[in-house]
Amino acid sequence: MAPTSVLSADRLRALVDVSADDPPGYRELADLIRLLVLDGRIPAGTRLPSERDLTAALPVSRTTVTRAYATLRDAGLLVSRRGSGSVVALPRGSRPPFMPAPGSTMVGWTIAAGHAAPGVGLAYGRALEQLPEYLNETGYETTGVPVLRELVAQRYLERGLPTDPDQIIITSGAQSALTLLARTLAARGERVAVESPTYPNAIDALRRSGLRVLGVPHDGHRLDLDALAASVRAAPVAWAYLIPDFQNPTGTLMDDVTRHDVASILRRSTTTPIVDETMAELCLDVDEQAMPVPLAAHHPGAITLGSASKTFWGGLRIGWIRAPHAVVPRLVAARETVDIGTPILEQLAVAELLRVRREVLDGRRERLRARRDELVVALRERLPDWGLNAPVGGLSLWVRLPARASSRLVVAAEAHDLLLTAGPRFFADGGGETSLRLPYARSAEHLADGVDRLALAWDAVVAGRAAPPSTRRRPALTA
């Protein structure tokens, strides 16, 4: 296998993020690298550093590295040839699922989403009644059906941002919208600043589009504005991808003053804010009338992403872009070469949900608030040494571990049939070993079972125990 890229020893050291005070054994080092491969942080075809170089970079012996590489080769995740070095492989069937298979005893704790909000089925029924009106047309609505664009624009106006429906492009989800932006408005090699931590699928989408992703520290409470200003001053930064509303994963809400300051920093540069508002409607302890105005109200050049997936249901693959008028034609032209349009039925269903948004969301917010509080109580009882935030909105807790052991915890959890996402997955530039995201949009029984298994896995980490590799299940991807 010919390598497609080369990973330096220093970069691999940052990714595995191990401490000299608690050096890993060979099996643990192999597990940490395996986790990086299976969740995509080290792509297949990457050549790993030589055993000698990695030994020099890590606080471990040459024997530890040699045996770790041998373990990865035995698992089919590494191919070593004289003259070519050790190249990462991904055997058929190795890519893990998002969630456990139906009927599995595993508990999946990787996706910040839950069941459909009440009213989704009724909205589909009403949409079906309207569908015949569109059947005599082509069905290729590149910008979206007018009724949905108007309702989305109206919702922006209600939130304090006057918006013309012509500024709205309906997409097949917010992730699709971000990919469309990256392919249309940015050139390969350009720099994009992101909060660190941030939504990992956004990091992946930006990197797959050939952009250079730079992390700006977010301490779990607020974005480091000095670091943001330094980043955009040091060299041109095309975009700043930001999640001001119940940030994923930290759940923090950016206040009006900070939004103004962020916009001021970016206006003084050539950096365009790309504002992800997919969580904006999930305010739990904040009245929606008291929510800060959208960040785009502070920056006329900002581009905003929205979605119905987190608000109503993940099966509604409907998102949207709100962009300045001058940008819309370029996006529409590019859209015609990608997926042409978004399914009509789902657009009509989302339009129906937006018409009864408050009634639907009142019940959804109440359930999310209850699940969040139940999870906080359970974690404080079973894992009292862990630091917990109590987010005022969103879908997940951002947990602070008492040791740099997030990846080790993910590996240990596999032995207890629990799928977790390691904290470093949310960081663009390494770090995150003291962090863990725990979504709470599940049933009370699911959360209680998950906490039980999590506590057992943490006990194993603290005791230094690990299950044999053959008994471990693969980690799940993240959403």
PDB file of all heavy atoms in Angstrom, residues 321-342:
ATOM      1  N   ILE A 321     -29.160  27.756   4.405  1.00  0.00           N
ATOM      2  CA  ILE A 321     -28.110  28.774   4.448  1.00  0.00           C
ATOM      3  C   ILE A 321     -28.792  30.135   4.372  1.00  0.00           C
ATOM      4  O   ILE A 321     -29.679  30.342   3.545  1.00  0.00           O
ATOM      5  CB  ILE A 321     -27.135  28.629   3.260  1.00  0.00           C
ATOM      6  CG1 ILE A 321     -26.423  27.277   3.298  1.00  0.00           C
ATOM      7  CG2 ILE A 321     -26.123  29.775   3.240  1.00  0.00           C
ATOM      8  CD1 ILE A 321     -25.623  26.980   2.035  1.00  0.00           C
ATOM      9  N   ARG A 322     -28.394  31.038   5.252  1.00  0.00           N
ATOM     10  CA  ARG A 322     -28.767  32.446   5.122  1.00  0.00           C
ATOM     11  C   ARG A 322     -27.506  33.202   4.751  1.00  0.00           C
ATOM     12  O   ARG A 322     -26.527  33.218   5.505  1.00  0.00           O
ATOM     13  CB  ARG A 322     -29.330  33.006   6.422  1.00  0.00           C
ATOM     14  CG  ARG A 322     -29.739  34.485   6.285  1.00  0.00           C
ATOM     15  CD  ARG A 322     -29.846  35.180   7.624  1.00  0.00           C
ATOM     16  NE  ARG A 322     -30.229  36.581   7.466  1.00  0.00           N
ATOM     17  CZ  ARG A 322     -29.389  37.595   7.232  1.00  0.00           C
ATOM     18  NH1 ARG A 322     -28.076  37.361   7.134  1.00  0.00           N
ATOM     19  NH2 ARG A 322     -29.836  38.828   7.100  1.00  0.00           N
ATOM     20  N   ALA A 323     -27.498  33.834   3.582  1.00  0.00           N
ATOM     21  CA  ALA A 323     -26.294  34.476   3.080  1.00  0.00           C
ATOM     22  C   ALA A 323     -26.616  35.875   2.562  1.00  0.00           C
ATOM     23  O   ALA A 323     -27.770  36.169   2.207  1.00  0.00           O
ATOM     24  CB  ALA A 323     -25.675  33.638   1.961  1.00  0.00           C
ATOM     25  N   PRO A 324     -25.618  36.759   2.489  1.00  0.00           N
ATOM     26  CA  PRO A 324     -25.831  38.053   1.851  1.00  0.00           C
ATOM     27  C   PRO A 324     -26.319  37.868   0.419  1.00  0.00           C
ATOM     28  O   PRO A 324     -25.965  36.886  -0.257  1.00  0.00           O
ATOM     29  CB  PRO A 324     -24.440  38.698   1.897  1.00  0.00           C
ATOM     30  CG  PRO A 324     -23.744  38.025   3.040  1.00  0.00           C
ATOM     31  CD  PRO A 324     -24.257  36.621   3.047  1.00  0.00           C
ATOM     32  N   HIS A 325     -27.121  38.810  -0.073  1.00  0.00           N
ATOM     33  CA  HIS A 325     -27.689  38.683  -1.417  1.00  0.00           C
ATOM     34  C   HIS A 325     -26.622  38.436  -2.481  1.00  0.00           C
ATOM     35  O   HIS A 325     -26.830  37.656  -3.415  1.00  0.00           O
ATOM     36  CB  HIS A 325     -28.462  39.963  -1.776  1.00  0.00           C
ATOM     37  CG  HIS A 325     -29.803  40.071  -1.110  1.00  0.00           C
ATOM     38  ND1 HIS A 325     -29.990  40.752   0.067  1.00  0.00           N
ATOM     39  CD2 HIS A 325     -31.013  39.567  -1.463  1.00  0.00           C
ATOM     40  CE1 HIS A 325     -31.269  40.678   0.413  1.00  0.00           C
ATOM     41  NE2 HIS A 325     -31.914  39.962  -0.489  1.00  0.00           N
ATOM     42  N   ALA A 326     -25.472  39.089  -2.351  1.00  0.00           N
ATOM     43  CA  ALA A 326     -24.437  38.976  -3.379  1.00  0.00           C
ATOM     44  C   ALA A 326     -23.839  37.580  -3.455  1.00  0.00           C
ATOM     45  O   ALA A 326     -23.288  37.198  -4.500  1.00  0.00           O
ATOM     46  CB  ALA A 326     -23.333  40.007  -3.120  1.00  0.00           C
ATOM     47  N   VAL A 327     -23.938  36.816  -2.382  1.00  0.00           N
ATOM     48  CA  VAL A 327     -23.317  35.488  -2.331  1.00  0.00           C
ATOM     49  C   VAL A 327     -24.256  34.411  -2.873  1.00  0.00           C
ATOM     50  O   VAL A 327     -23.814  33.390  -3.410  1.00  0.00           O
ATOM     51  CB  VAL A 327     -22.900  35.156  -0.877  1.00  0.00           C
ATOM     52  CG1 VAL A 327     -22.377  33.732  -0.756  1.00  0.00           C
ATOM     53  CG2 VAL A 327     -21.860  36.156  -0.387  1.00  0.00           C
ATOM     54  N   VAL A 328     -25.557  34.632  -2.762  1.00  0.00           N
ATOM     55  CA  VAL A 328     -26.534  33.593  -3.085  1.00  0.00           C
ATOM     56  C   VAL A 328     -26.393  33.050  -4.503  1.00  0.00           C
ATOM     57  O   VAL A 328     -26.417  31.819  -4.709  1.00  0.00           O
ATOM     58  CB  VAL A 328     -27.970  34.105  -2.824  1.00  0.00           C
ATOM     59  CG1 VAL A 328     -29.006  33.139  -3.380  1.00  0.00           C
ATOM     60  CG2 VAL A 328     -28.179  34.324  -1.334  1.00  0.00           C
ATOM     61  N   PRO A 329     -26.240  33.888  -5.550  1.00  0.00           N
ATOM     62  CA  PRO A 329     -26.136  33.325  -6.908  1.00  0.00           C
ATOM     63  C   PRO A 329     -24.986  32.338  -7.074  1.00  0.00           C
ATOM     64  O   PRO A 329     -25.133  31.332  -7.781  1.00  0.00           O
ATOM     65  CB  PRO A 329     -25.949  34.566  -7.787  1.00  0.00           C
ATOM     66  CG  PRO A 329     -26.584  35.681  -7.016  1.00  0.00           C
ATOM     67  CD  PRO A 329     -26.291  35.368  -5.585  1.00  0.00           C
ATOM     68  N   ARG A 330     -23.844  32.590  -6.438  1.00  0.00           N
ATOM     69  CA  ARG A 330     -22.725  31.653  -6.541  1.00  0.00           C
ATOM     70  C   ARG A 330     -23.078  30.309  -5.906  1.00  0.00           C
ATOM     71  O   ARG A 330     -22.743  29.250  -6.446  1.00  0.00           O
ATOM     72  CB  ARG A 330     -21.483  32.234  -5.852  1.00  0.00           C
ATOM     73  CG  ARG A 330     -20.869  33.430  -6.556  1.00  0.00           C
ATOM     74  CD  ARG A 330     -19.667  33.939  -5.796  1.00  0.00           C
ATOM     75  NE  ARG A 330     -18.625  32.909  -5.664  1.00  0.00           N
ATOM     76  CZ  ARG A 330     -17.565  33.029  -4.871  1.00  0.00           C
ATOM     77  NH1 ARG A 330     -17.431  34.106  -4.109  1.00  0.00           N
ATOM     78  NH2 ARG A 330     -16.671  32.065  -4.818  1.00  0.00           N
ATOM     79  N   LEU A 331     -23.765  30.354  -4.778  1.00  0.00           N
ATOM     80  CA  LEU A 331     -24.143  29.112  -4.111  1.00  0.00           C
ATOM     81  C   LEU A 331     -25.177  28.338  -4.918  1.00  0.00           C
ATOM     82  O   LEU A 331     -25.111  27.108  -5.020  1.00  0.00           O
ATOM     83  CB  LEU A 331     -24.688  29.418  -2.716  1.00  0.00           C
ATOM     84  CG  LEU A 331     -23.687  30.014  -1.726  1.00  0.00           C
ATOM     85  CD1 LEU A 331     -24.394  30.422  -0.429  1.00  0.00           C
ATOM     86  CD2 LEU A 331     -22.570  29.015  -1.427  1.00  0.00           C
ATOM     87  N   VAL A 332     -26.119  29.047  -5.499  1.00  0.00           N
ATOM     88  CA  VAL A 332     -27.153  28.385  -6.307  1.00  0.00           C
ATOM     89  C   VAL A 332     -26.517  27.721  -7.525  1.00  0.00           C
ATOM     90  O   VAL A 332     -26.837  26.573  -7.876  1.00  0.00           O
ATOM     91  CB  VAL A 332     -28.238  29.386  -6.730  1.00  0.00           C
ATOM     92  CG1 VAL A 332     -29.201  28.749  -7.728  1.00  0.00           C
ATOM     93  CG2 VAL A 332     -28.993  29.892  -5.504  1.00  0.00           C
ATOM     94  N   ALA A 333     -25.604  28.420  -8.185  1.00  0.00           N
ATOM     95  CA  ALA A 333     -24.938  27.851  -9.365  1.00  0.00           C
ATOM     96  C   ALA A 333     -24.153  26.602  -8.992  1.00  0.00           C
ATOM     97  O   ALA A 333     -24.165  25.599  -9.717  1.00  0.00           O
ATOM     98  CB  ALA A 333     -24.023  28.893  -9.999  1.00  0.00           C
ATOM     99  N   ALA A 334     -23.477  26.643  -7.833  1.00  0.00           N
ATOM    100  CA  ALA A 334     -22.710  25.475  -7.401  1.00  0.00           C
ATOM    101  C   ALA A 334     -23.638  24.338  -7.006  1.00  0.00           C
ATOM    102  O   ALA A 334     -23.348  23.165  -7.253  1.00  0.00           O
ATOM    103  CB  ALA A 334     -21.805  25.862  -6.235  1.00  0.00           C
ATOM    104  N   ARG A 335     -24.763  24.691  -6.406  1.00  0.00           N
ATOM    105  CA  ARG A 335     -25.722  23.657  -5.964  1.00  0.00           C
ATOM    106  C   ARG A 335     -26.220  22.833  -7.147  1.00  0.00           C
ATOM    107  O   ARG A 335     -26.462  21.632  -7.023  1.00  0.00           O
ATOM    108  CB  ARG A 335     -26.905  24.360  -5.284  1.00  0.00           C
ATOM    109  CG  ARG A 335     -28.000  23.414  -4.767  1.00  0.00           C
ATOM    110  CD  ARG A 335     -27.633  22.900  -3.390  1.00  0.00           C
ATOM    111  NE  ARG A 335     -28.528  21.843  -2.938  1.00  0.00           N
ATOM    112  CZ  ARG A 335     -29.730  22.040  -2.409  1.00  0.00           C
ATOM    113  NH1 ARG A 335     -30.205  23.273  -2.288  1.00  0.00           N
ATOM    114  NH2 ARG A 335     -30.438  21.026  -2.003  1.00  0.00           N
ATOM    115  N   GLU A 336     -26.357  23.456  -8.271  1.00  0.00           N
ATOM    116  CA  GLU A 336     -26.873  22.757  -9.454  1.00  0.00           C
ATOM    117  C   GLU A 336     -25.932  21.667  -9.940  1.00  0.00           C
ATOM    118  O   GLU A 336     -26.344  20.775 -10.681  1.00  0.00           O
ATOM    119  CB  GLU A 336     -27.148  23.764 -10.564  1.00  0.00           C
ATOM    120  CG  GLU A 336     -28.314  24.705 -10.241  1.00  0.00           C
ATOM    121  CD  GLU A 336     -28.470  25.824 -11.248  1.00  0.00           C
ATOM    122  OE1 GLU A 336     -27.541  26.006 -12.066  1.00  0.00           O
ATOM    123  OE2 GLU A 336     -29.500  26.516 -11.209  1.00  0.00           O
ATOM    124  N   THR A 337     -24.676  21.718  -9.524  1.00  0.00           N
ATOM    125  CA  THR A 337     -23.710  20.695  -9.929  1.00  0.00           C
ATOM    126  C   THR A 337     -23.474  19.662  -8.830  1.00  0.00           C
ATOM    127  O   THR A 337     -22.686  18.735  -9.009  1.00  0.00           O
ATOM    128  CB  THR A 337     -22.359  21.338 -10.306  1.00  0.00           C
ATOM    129  OG1 THR A 337     -21.767  21.913  -9.128  1.00  0.00           O
ATOM    130  CG2 THR A 337     -22.543  22.417 -11.351  1.00  0.00           C
ATOM    131  N   VAL A 338     -24.145  19.833  -7.696  1.00  0.00           N
ATOM    132  CA  VAL A 338     -23.932  18.922  -6.566  1.00  0.00           C
ATOM    133  C   VAL A 338     -25.128  17.986  -6.402  1.00  0.00           C
ATOM    134  O   VAL A 338     -25.104  16.835  -6.825  1.00  0.00           O
ATOM    135  CB  VAL A 338     -23.652  19.714  -5.268  1.00  0.00           C
ATOM    136  CG1 VAL A 338     -23.420  18.754  -4.095  1.00  0.00           C
ATOM    137  CG2 VAL A 338     -22.436  20.616  -5.443  1.00  0.00           C
ATOM    138  N   ASP A 339     -26.212  18.478  -5.798  1.00  0.00           N
ATOM    139  CA  ASP A 339     -27.374  17.604  -5.593  1.00  0.00           C
ATOM    140  C   ASP A 339     -28.665  18.214  -6.129  1.00  0.00           C
ATOM    141  O   ASP A 339     -29.748  17.686  -5.875  1.00  0.00           O
ATOM    142  CB  ASP A 339     -27.527  17.240  -4.118  1.00  0.00           C
ATOM    143  CG  ASP A 339     -27.802  18.451  -3.238  1.00  0.00           C
ATOM    144  OD1 ASP A 339     -27.780  19.578  -3.754  1.00  0.00           O
ATOM    145  OD2 ASP A 339     -28.034  18.260  -2.032  1.00  0.00           O
ATOM    146  N   ILE A 340     -28.569  19.327  -6.826  1.00  0.00           N
ATOM    147  CA  ILE A 340     -29.671  19.987  -7.535  1.00  0.00           C
ATOM    148  C   ILE A 340     -30.722  20.553  -6.587  1.00  0.00           C
ATOM    149  O   ILE A 340     -31.129  21.704  -6.713  1.00  0.00           O
ATOM    150  CB  ILE A 340     -30.342  19.051  -8.567  1.00  0.00           C
ATOM    151  CG1 ILE A 340     -29.300  18.546  -9.575  1.00  0.00           C
ATOM    152  CG2 ILE A 340     -31.469  19.788  -9.292  1.00  0.00           C
ATOM    153  CD1 ILE A 340     -29.881  17.586 -10.601  1.00  0.00           C
ATOM    154  N   GLY A 341     -31.184  19.764  -5.635  1.00  0.00           N
ATOM    155  CA  GLY A 341     -32.228  20.257  -4.750  1.00  0.00           C
ATOM    156  C   GLY A 341     -32.466  19.321  -3.582  1.00  0.00           C
ATOM    157  O   GLY A 341     -31.780  18.311  -3.404  1.00  0.00           O
ATOM    158  N   THR A 342     -33.462  19.674  -2.771  1.00  0.00           N
ATOM    159  CA  THR A 342     -33.797  18.938  -1.553  1.00  0.00           C
ATOM    160  C   THR A 342     -35.202  18.359  -1.697  1.00  0.00           C
ATOM    161  O   THR A 342     -36.076  19.011  -2.273  1.00  0.00           O
ATOM    162  CB  THR A 342     -33.738  19.902  -0.349  1.00  0.00           C
ATOM    163  OG1 THR A 342     -32.438  20.504  -0.305  1.00  0.00           O
ATOM    164  CG2 THR A 342     -33.977  19.167   0.954  1.00  0.00           C
TER     165      THR A 342
END
